[in-house]
Amino acid sequence: MRARDTDWDGVRLHVVTGKGGTGKTTVAAALALALAADGRKVLLVEVEGRQGIAQVFDLPPLPYEERKIAVAPRGGDVYALAIDPEEAMLDYLEMFYGMRRAGKALTKMGVVDFATTIAPGFRDVLVTGKTSEAVRRKDKDGRRIYDAVVLDAPPTGRITRFLNVTNEVAGLARMGPIKNHADLVNGVVASPETAVHFVTLLEEMPVQETLDGLAELRAAGLPPGGIFTNMIRESLLPKSVLDDVGKGRFDPAELALGLKASGLADGSSDAAVVAEALAEEIAEHARRTGLERRERLSLAKAGRPRYELPLLADGVDLAGLYELAESIHTQGAA
């Protein structure tokens, strides 16, 4: 399924996951910019405590508050929130028990750390709960505060457990505020308003983790989104040359003759040496291109919308981030 076959108009929570090293946070940030384009308001959330959003946007560390960090293409605002589990716990205690002051005392005593250590799922409920609240929040006129929320989520190997909050708290509480809170969160996460997007590279391990993650997500009844293939490098050679290399029809001697005729090498021996080195580079390029073609076919079998983002030669600075956002917008992902 190509990207333009599907849009995400009905989705308000975009969860972005991926194997480490695939550029998950960068893609989440670019997606937030793309979704905010043309005058919309988007919240970008991180939950791992790495301050990855601040790094991508070249900002000081973000506090536990929603603040504007960027203006999107053609107008629109991106806000950011770095969720701190302890602060989320205080919000939870205030919301359900009116105990924020007591919660601060508990934090000083280390009770919050103790609780989330013996019940790690509760920490996930807290941070996903804060994100879900932002999705549901409305102004006094009943309009949503944010047009969309983008969650820079944990890596692929942990994403299903992270989102499957109802199961995670089943052993903690079968009724009461914790169960009610989990049900509220699940009402957003498992709904058509949510899509879980995967970021990958055209390499065997990230692609396999993406396919495994999609399978786990479906088994848990959670909504899969699209596949963002990051750091795509354009082929430097025409397909006919790559096919010749793959079939063993590429002759370095012909390359040497061409180098000598063009004046790029002095003498037959120099031309042969240069041609041999170039032939090795061409063979490696053909091998990598063939591998990427196979990984694309594997991703296509997943049956999800796919988007390809270019490798930025100068790295990901702010200008590069806006370039990625424009690519996402052009492909119909926002």
Side-chain angles (χ1 to χ4, degrees):
M1 185 187 304
R2 294 305 301 167
R4 290 182 179 84
D5 293 338
T6 301
D7 59 47
W8 310 106
D9 287 345
V11 174
R12 290 187 176 275
L13 175 57
H14 295 261
V15 180
V16 180
T17 185
K19 179 177 169 57
T22 59
K24 168 176 69 72
T25 298
T26 297
V27 173
L31 178 59
L33 282 170
L35 288 166
D38 302 315
R40 291 183 288 271
K41 184 177 180 181
V42 172
L43 177 65
L44 175 60
V45 180
E46 70 173 2
V47 297
E48 295 182 278
R50 296 185 297 104
Q51 289 291 334
I53 294 174
Q55 294 173 33
V56 168
F57 282 95
D58 195 22
L59 297 169
L62 296 170
Y64 180 64
E65 64 180 41
E66 295 165 23
R67 58 169 54 182
K68 182 177 173 179
I69 61 167
V71 176
R74 301 175 297 281
D77 296 321
V78 175
Y79 285 70
L81 173 64
I83 295 181
D84 175 80
E86 287 191 355
E87 292 291 339
M89 170 75 90
L90 295 179
D91 285 349
Y92 170 82
L93 290 173
E94 181 177 34
M95 183 183 304
F96 288 100
Y97 296 99
M99 291 175 57
R100 188 173 185 87
R101 185 174 298 177
K104 289 182 178 179
L106 292 174
T107 299
K108 291 179 181 179
M109 294 168 57
V111 173
V112 173
D113 284 337
F114 176 73
T116 56
T117 298
I118 63 173
F122 188 43
R123 178 183 293 264
D124 291 344
V125 171
L126 292 173
V127 296
T128 53
K130 184 66 178 176
T131 304
S132 300
E133 183 277 325
V135 174
R136 298 192 311 267
R137 195 186 312 156
K138 297 180 180 180
D139 62 18
K140 61 182 181 181
D141 297 321
R143 293 174 298 192
R144 302 282 185 126
I145 296 294
Y146 293 106
D147 294 290
V149 176
V150 177
L151 173 59
D152 180 18
T156 310
R158 203 166 77 80
I159 189 62
T160 299
R161 184 174 181 181
F162 172 76
L163 294 173
N164 203 8
V165 293
T166 300
N167 286 349
E168 286 300 303
V169 302
L172 296 175
R174 298 187 182 279
M175 62 183 62
I178 294 178
K179 177 65 164 58
N180 294 339
H181 182 58
D183 288 344
L184 283 173
V185 174
N186 191 63
V188 173
V189 171
S191 77
E193 284 193 314
T194 295
V196 183
H197 306 299
F198 288 79
V199 181
T200 187
L201 306 177
L202 286 179
E203 297 173 6
E204 185 176 359
M205 286 187 64
V207 166
Q208 189 58 54
E209 281 207 17
T210 296
L211 298 176
D212 291 344
L214 280 165
E216 290 177 7
L217 210 66
R218 290 188 178 104
L222 296 170
I227 299 172
F228 290 80
T229 306
N230 199 19
M231 304 184 203
I232 294 293
R233 292 171 287 194
E234 294 295 328
S235 178
L236 303 176
L237 296 170
K239 186 176 182 300
S240 58
V241 173
L242 296 175
D243 289 342
D244 285 345
V245 174
K247 295 175 182 178
R249 295 200 300 251
F250 182 77
D251 187 359
E254 292 184 10
L255 180 59
L257 290 173
L259 290 169
K260 185 178 178 182
S262 63
L264 295 175
D266 296 327
S268 298
S269 60
D270 287 343
V273 170
V274 174
E276 185 175 349
L278 284 175
E280 290 179 2
E281 292 288 336
I282 291 169
E284 173 58 26
H285 182 71
R287 186 200 65 79
R288 180 175 61 80
T289 302
L291 172 64
E292 291 176 349
R293 187 183 300 121
R294 290 193 295 275
E295 298 305 332
R296 275 193 178 93
L297 290 174
S298 295
L299 291 173
K301 293 177 183 177
R304 300 309 305 163
R306 290 174 289 123
Y307 312 93
E308 295 196 347
L309 304 180
L311 174 68
L312 301 178
D314 297 327
V316 183
D317 54 12
L318 276 176
L321 201 59
Y322 279 84
E323 182 180 337
L324 293 177
E326 191 60 35
S327 177
I328 289 172
H329 191 275
T330 300
Q331 293 179 71

